[in-house]
């Protein structure tokens, strides 16, 4: 075959195959058999093999690459992928609609769509060709997953119209039937099963091997235009029509509503049809239709004001409580875990649920063998609501009252219940379960932020005897060969982990304190300790009466800090961290040199600020020695109030506390 003939044939085959895929995966209206499609596909593969220089990114053969990535690159979204605020009742839905009408001076049209329970992504097309795709991440920075997105057959590689540029947002999901089949395969292969379709979709999209991602049968609904060049779009409903005409599988069954009652009716209809859907949804999304109205309404630092998500009430079901197991936490707490007869609930099969503590079990009168009502708190965490005590006499099942063990189920150490606490604890600080969770906590984002050192890696490191305590982490840079030989690690991942460990040595002092895992000490208390004492050495030498003088430090927290630094094992660990080069003192940068102009002042932040996020304003205040509190009291120095400030502003006014704006704060910092 001549090259010019090959060009014509390839273009014809690509056009035909892409059209067949569109009809099959988007329209659900196949026009040819699988055998006919496969025959044309093999023909295309054959020609491209003969003329590899003619292979283009929009070819159906390029949906599955043969390259395994070493990792995902960070990707910054030009237009942020914002999250939505939530409403939970009819009254809140109507209030949302009516407030928008009040702000605009007229009742706008709304679009109501299903809220697909998946993973949000943005995909860019240039001149009609897919060029890059990325996960949402934190809304500003995600991960590039182009190769894996190309494996989704309902996502076009080439648009039906060549626009200069368009960026679309969609939700990657896995159908219920695909999810069930995947878990069956996992079980047969002796591999862990996935908790629900959303987790399965998210895990599949982040596979470094795109052929594995392709085998998972992912799908996508596109629901938004982030950017577009070459067309004028005036409403959201128009944008969905254009997206559909370009070849995208758009969010199905959306409705344009003219009144708040129409909006609620559309939500109710989605809820009624929810059980029959082939995919999971967790609510409905309400959006103002007209883009000009959206511009008038604007957005907060977190959410657009022109949209919200209605979340369905948590689904509840009864199932049998088969047993209660014990998990041992980072601080030695013995946490009871319910083992349930598996039940399908809110899109996933539940076989375990939290029971909090012994008081919770006693208060709810829960016995092993009971029928118990289970729900997903926030549609995420399974929890037991109540026991069906009426069925105890009639079902003939033996019940057993649960009792906390006298010894730790992990290490056999003594178990005690400190006076005034609900929790039982293992007193053995060398308990493997505590050590594991302590190391995981130390590496977490809010602590030392050691990227690449999650629970799975920590497990591997402990199994290989490379890490037995927090301080062992800083010996890892000298063990490159052993690290790179771990399963799924490799030289590149090992080098990245070592780099993250070295970088963590320069972290602020409060991160080190928080990472130590002192009971009762969270991020805020860690910052207070760092600012008040300035060094680990000073904290370790402090008496309880000194610690209790820190604002917002109670006696229990002070005693917990005092006892932590009286442990010989803890002091040895801190000494090793110090010798490894981990920060042990508050640096000048952390307190802005000698400028502590806000020292002794307490700020309360409320409402939405014009340009700053509240976290940014808080960081500025703390940088200059100030303290931020979550509640207004007579000790509050200033209340920094933004738009839609609520009860905190009212209380401050009643107490005569000075109210300042963002502009006032910035002037104070000049």
């Amino acid at each position: 075959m001549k090259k010019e003939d090959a060009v014509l044939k390839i273009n014809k085959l690509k056009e035909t195959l892409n059209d067949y895929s569109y009809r099959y995966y988007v329209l659900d209206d196949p026009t040819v058999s699988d055998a006919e499609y496969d025959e044309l596909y093999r023909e295309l593969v054959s020609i491209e093999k003969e003329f590899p220089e003619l292979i283009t990114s929009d070819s159906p053969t390029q949906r599955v690459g043969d390259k395994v990535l070493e990792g995902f690159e960070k990707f910054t979204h030009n237009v942020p992928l914002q999250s939505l605020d939530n409403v939970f009742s009819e009254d809140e839905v109507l209030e949302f609609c009516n407030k928008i009408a009040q702000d605009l001076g007229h009742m706008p049209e709304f679009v109501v769509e299903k809220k697909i329970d998946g993973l949000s992504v943005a995909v860019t097309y240039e001149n009609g060709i897919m060029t890059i795709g990325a996960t949402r991440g934190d809304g500003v920075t995600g991960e590039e997953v182009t190769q894996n997105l190309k494996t989704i057959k309902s996502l076009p590689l080439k648009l039906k119209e060549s626009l200069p540029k368009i960026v679309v947002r969609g939700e990657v999901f896995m159908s219920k039937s695909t999810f069930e089949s995947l878990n069956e395969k996992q079980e047969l292969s002796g591999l862990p099963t996935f908790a629900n379709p959303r987790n399965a979709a998210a895990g599949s999209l982040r596979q470094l091997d795109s052929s594995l991602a392709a085998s998972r049968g992912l799908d996508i609904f596109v629901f938004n235009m982030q950017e577009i060049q070459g067309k004028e779009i005036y409403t959201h409903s128009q944008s969905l029509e254009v997206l559909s005409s370009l070849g995208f599988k758009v969010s199905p069954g959306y409705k344009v509503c003219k009144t708040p009652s129409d909006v609620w009716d559309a939500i109710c209809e989605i809820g009624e049809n929810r059980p029959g859907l082939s995919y999971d949804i967790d609510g409905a999304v309400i959006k103002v239709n007209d883009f000009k109205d959206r511009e008038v309404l604007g957005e907060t630092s977190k959410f657009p004001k022109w949209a919200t998500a209605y979340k369905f009430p948590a689904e509840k079901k009864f199932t049998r409580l088969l047993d209660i197991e014990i998990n041992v936490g980072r601080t030695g707490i013995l946490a009871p875990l319910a083992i349930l007869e598996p039940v399908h609930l809110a899109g996933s099969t539940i076989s375990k649920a939290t029971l909090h503590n012994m008081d919770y079990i006693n208060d709810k009168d829960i016995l092993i063998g009971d029928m118990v009502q289970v729900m997903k708190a926030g549609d995420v965490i399974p929890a037991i609501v109540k026991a069906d005590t009426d069925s105890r006499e009639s079902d003939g099942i033996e019940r057993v009252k649960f009792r906390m063990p006298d010894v730790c189920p992990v290490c056999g150490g003594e178990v005690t219940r400190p006076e005034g606490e609900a929790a039982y604890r293992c007193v053995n600080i060398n308990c493997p379960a505590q050590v594991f969770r302590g190391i995981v906590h130390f590496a977490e984002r809010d602590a030392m932020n050691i990227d690449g050192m999650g629970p799975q890696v920590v497990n591997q490191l402990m199994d290989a005897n490379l890490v037995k305590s927090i301080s062992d982490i800083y010996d890892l840079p000298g063990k490159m060969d052993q690290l790179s030989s771990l399963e799924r690690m490799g030289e590149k991942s090992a080098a990245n982990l070592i780099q993250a460990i070295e970088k963590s040595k320069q972290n602020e002092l409060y991160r080190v304190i928080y990472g130590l895992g002192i009971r009762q000490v969270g991020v805020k208390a860690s910052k207070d300790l760092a600012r008040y004492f300035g060094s680990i050495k000073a904290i370790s030498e402090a008496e309880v009466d000194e610690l209790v003088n820190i604002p917002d430090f109670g006696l229990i927290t002070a005693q917990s800090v005092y006892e932590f630094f009286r442990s010989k094992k803890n002091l040895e660990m801190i000494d090793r961290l110090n010798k490894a080069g981990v920060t042990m003192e508050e640096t000048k940068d952390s307190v802005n040199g000698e400028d502590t102009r806000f020292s002794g002042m307490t700020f309360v932040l409320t409402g939405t600020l014009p340009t700053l996020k509240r976290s940014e304003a808080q960081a500025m205040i703390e940088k200059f020695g100030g303290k931020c509190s979550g509640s207004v009291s007579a000790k509050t120095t200033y209340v920094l109030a933004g738009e839609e400030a609520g009860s905190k502003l009212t209380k401050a006014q009643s107490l005569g506390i000075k109210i300042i704006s963002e502009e006032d704060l910035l002037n104070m910092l000049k």
Side-chain angles (χ1 to χ4, degrees), residues 21-282:
S21 291
Y22 171 71
R23 292 180 179 279
Y24 186 94
Y25 294 104
V26 178
L27 301 182
D28 196 21
D29 182 26
T31 54
V32 296
S33 67
D34 289 350
E36 289 175 279
Y37 180 94
D38 290 343
E39 184 179 348
L40 293 174
Y41 185 88
R42 284 194 296 270
E43 184 179 358
L44 177 60
V45 170
S46 176
I47 299 173
E48 288 184 342
K49 188 175 182 180
E50 186 178 352
F51 299 95
E53 69 274 15
L54 299 181
I55 298 174
T56 57
S57 62
D58 63 319
S59 173
T61 64
Q62 299 308 295
R63 283 198 178 274
V64 183
D66 57 3
K67 187 171 82 170
V68 178
L69 302 175
E70 292 185 350
F72 294 113
E73 298 291 333
K74 297 295 183 186
F75 180 85
T76 302
H77 299 289
N78 188 38
V79 177
L81 276 61
Q82 291 182 302
S83 56
L84 295 176
D85 202 0
N86 297 319
V87 292
F88 299 92
S89 67
E90 180 181 0
D91 287 344
E92 289 181 353
V93 169
L94 301 181
E95 182 183 348
F96 168 78
C97 295
N98 288 322
K99 185 178 187 309
I100 281 179
Q102 181 181 346
D103 291 343
L104 290 173
H106 67 274
M107 181 64 70
E109 284 185 339
F110 296 92
V111 177
V112 178
E113 308 167 15
K114 299 179 183 71
K115 188 174 184 295
I116 311 299
D117 192 13
L119 185 74
S120 195
V121 297
V123 190
T124 301
Y125 293 79
E126 295 180 59
N127 298 316
I129 305 297
M130 178 179 169
T131 55
I132 197 164
T135 61
R136 177 182 179 272
D138 61 7
V140 176
T141 304
E143 292 179 319
E144 189 206 323
V145 288
T146 310
Q147 277 303 120
N148 289 349
L149 284 171
K150 282 185 174 183
T151 69
I152 302 175
K153 294 180 180 178
S154 54
L155 186 65
L157 299 179
K158 182 179 181 180
L159 303 182
K160 292 182 176 293
E161 182 181 346
S162 181
L163 297 172
K165 183 180 181 181
I166 181 172
V167 182
V168 300
R169 181 175 177 182
E171 200 80 3
V172 174
F173 67 96
M174 185 178 286
S175 70
K176 295 175 183 176
S177 60
T178 301
F179 170 72
E180 289 169 2
S181 297
L182 174 61
N183 267 352
E184 286 177 9
K185 290 178 183 176
Q186 294 288 104
E187 285 181 357
L188 289 173
S189 303
L191 298 171
T193 56
F194 292 95
N196 53 56
R198 187 189 188 283
N199 285 357
S204 300
L205 194 62
R206 298 195 72 258
Q207 291 293 327
L208 295 176
D209 184 348
S210 63
S211 63
L212 184 56
S215 71
R216 297 287 176 80
L218 297 176
D219 208 338
I220 188 171
F221 284 125
V222 171
F223 60 85
N224 204 53
M225 280 186 189
Q226 298 296 102
E227 299 179 59
I228 186 169
Q229 296 174 10
K231 273 188 185 297
E232 291 292 330
I233 307 293
Y234 302 101
T235 66
H236 181 61
S237 56
Q238 181 193 2
S239 75
L240 293 175
E241 292 169 4
V242 170
L243 288 169
S244 181
S245 71
L246 291 172
F248 291 107
K249 187 175 182 178
V250 301
S251 183
Y254 63 88
K255 287 200 170 181
V256 179
C257 304
K258 296 187 179 297
T259 68
S261 60
D262 290 343
V263 169
W264 180 246
D265 289 344
I267 291 172
C268 291
E269 184 178 340
I270 289 173
E272 289 168 6
N273 295 330
R274 183 186 184 190
L277 296 174
S278 62
Y279 47 86
D280 282 339
I281 61 173
D282 57 359

Side-chain angles (χ1 to χ4, degrees), residues 296-342:
V296 173
L297 293 165
E299 55 195 39
T300 70
S301 60
K302 292 184 178 179
F303 313 115
K305 294 181 181 179
W306 42 264
T308 194
Y310 172 80
K311 301 300 287 286
F312 291 127
E315 187 181 358
K316 300 177 184 177
K317 285 187 179 178
F318 276 95
T319 188
R320 185 77 63 186
L321 174 61
L322 302 177
D323 200 358
I324 297 176
E325 293 181 351
I326 294 295
N327 281 339
V328 182
R330 173 175 58 83
T331 58
I333 290 177
L334 273 61
L337 182 72
I339 307 302
L340 307 169
E341 192 171 282

Side-chain angles (χ1 to χ4, degrees), residues 328-333 424-426 434 437-438 517-520:
V328 182
R330 173 175 58 83
T331 58
I333 290 177
Y424 287 76
R425 294 179 185 274
C426 168
Q434 294 185 55
R437 289 183 171 84
I518 306 169
R519 283 173 54 197
Q520 309 292 335

Side-chain angles (χ1 to χ4, degrees), residues 34 37 46 66 70 91 105 137 145 173 214 228 238 276 289 345 366 379 391 467 491 514 528 535 589 619 638 650:
D34 289 350
Y37 180 94
S46 176
D66 57 3
E70 292 185 350
D91 287 344
V145 288
F173 67 96
I228 186 169
Q238 181 193 2
N289 194 19
L345 182 68
I366 296 170
D379 261 1
S391 65
V467 170
E491 289 187 8
Y514 179 61
D528 291 341
S535 70
D589 286 344
Y638 296 108
T650 305

